[in-house]
Amino acid sequence: MGSTGSTPTVTAVTVPDAAAMQDLGRGLAPLLRPGDLVLLSGELGAGKTTLARGLGAGLGVRGAVTSPTFVIARVHPSLTGGPALVHVDAYRLGGGLDQMEDLDLDVSLQDSVVVVEWGEGRVEELSDSRLEVRIERALGDEAPGEGDDERRVTLTGLGDRWAGTDWAVLLPAGAGEPVDSV
Ligand SMILES: Nc1ncnc2c1ncn2[C@@H]1O[C@H](COP(=O)(O)OP(=O)(O)OP(=O)(O)O)[C@@H](O)[C@H]1O
Ligand SMILES: [Mg+2]
């Protein structure tokens, strides 16, 4: 719905622990450009914010990327002259896109990388092209939030923007220090 005719590009990776999830975010950052929309989906505690934290580190933005519990969206300006990261919790964005436009962020979404948790069915209209990142717990893991547990992450690039993306850069689940959580 809303995407162009090009074939989606899909890749899936296994992520053993939270540090590796941050590394995945760091690895994804170089693929992102101003105006990109990234939708993070997965149940409570799946690791959406953990991935976003790594993305923020990889993009070199200011401020800790945390659960935007008390705000719907938070702008993290770049420290390196790149795009800002706009981190949105759409769970609370009942009104969808209209409400998003009403947020009055002091940054243009076209100039930013917009990462949305719980965005499915709410913010797709922001962009014809988008990257959908689905995080799933490995089967049999029934202790959410306790310790590190394997996740399966599926990345689907929809629209012309993502046609022919070389996902290989993500596969050597990178080195790098975990980012401190707050
Ligand atoms: N492989 C893994 N990847 C990511 N997080 C993991 C993994 N294993 C365990 N965890 C833990 O799961 C939790 C994920 O929390 P996080 O806030 O990132 O989830 P979320 O999807 O953003 O949740 P919410 O829906 O509440 O926003 C953290 O406590 C993290 O340490
Ligand atoms: Mg979260």
Side-chain angles (χ1 to χ4, degrees):
M1 187 184 75
S3 62
T4 64
S6 54
T7 312
T9 55
V10 185
T11 195
V13 290
T14 299
V15 178
D17 54 30
M21 188 65 84
Q22 289 195 16
D23 284 343
L24 180 63
R26 285 177 192 263
L28 195 53
L31 294 176
L32 296 173
R33 303 203 292 250
D36 280 348
L37 175 64
V38 181
L39 298 192
L40 303 181
S41 68
E43 64 193 36
L44 283 170
K48 302 179 291 296
T49 302
T50 303
L51 178 62
R53 186 171 296 141
L55 256 180
L59 289 171
V61 300
R62 193 175 74 205
V65 175
T66 58
S67 291
T69 306
F70 302 108
V71 291
I72 291 170
R74 186 171 285 145
V75 178
H76 298 270
S78 175
L79 295 168
T80 61
L85 173 66
V86 178
H87 182 212
V88 182
D89 182 0
Y91 198 70
R92 300 173 62 236
L93 199 63
L97 183 63
D98 293 344
Q99 211 183 331
M100 180 78 198
E101 285 173 343
D102 286 348
L103 288 177
D104 201 21
L105 303 172
D106 60 358
V107 71
S108 141
L109 297 183
Q110 283 73 33
D111 296 336
S112 308
V113 170
V114 181
V115 175
V116 186
E117 299 190 29
W118 299 105
E120 318 94 291
R122 291 181 163 102
V123 299
E124 283 88 346
E125 304 146 77
L126 280 173
S127 173
D128 278 345
S129 293
R130 62 186 180 274
L131 178 63
E132 295 185 352
V133 181
R134 165 156 290 279
I135 305 174
E136 288 160 310
R137 280 201 173 80
L139 285 177
D141 172 10
E142 289 169 7
E146 289 181 22
D148 284 325
D149 289 297
E150 194 166 283
R151 305 288 197 263
R152 188 79 179 151
V153 180
T154 309
L155 300 106
T156 306
L158 295 164
D160 293 342
R161 158 70 181 91
W162 295 99
T165 299
D166 181 7
W167 299 109
V169 293
L170 293 179
L171 297 181
E177 298 299 310
V179 184
D180 290 334
S181 53
V182 173

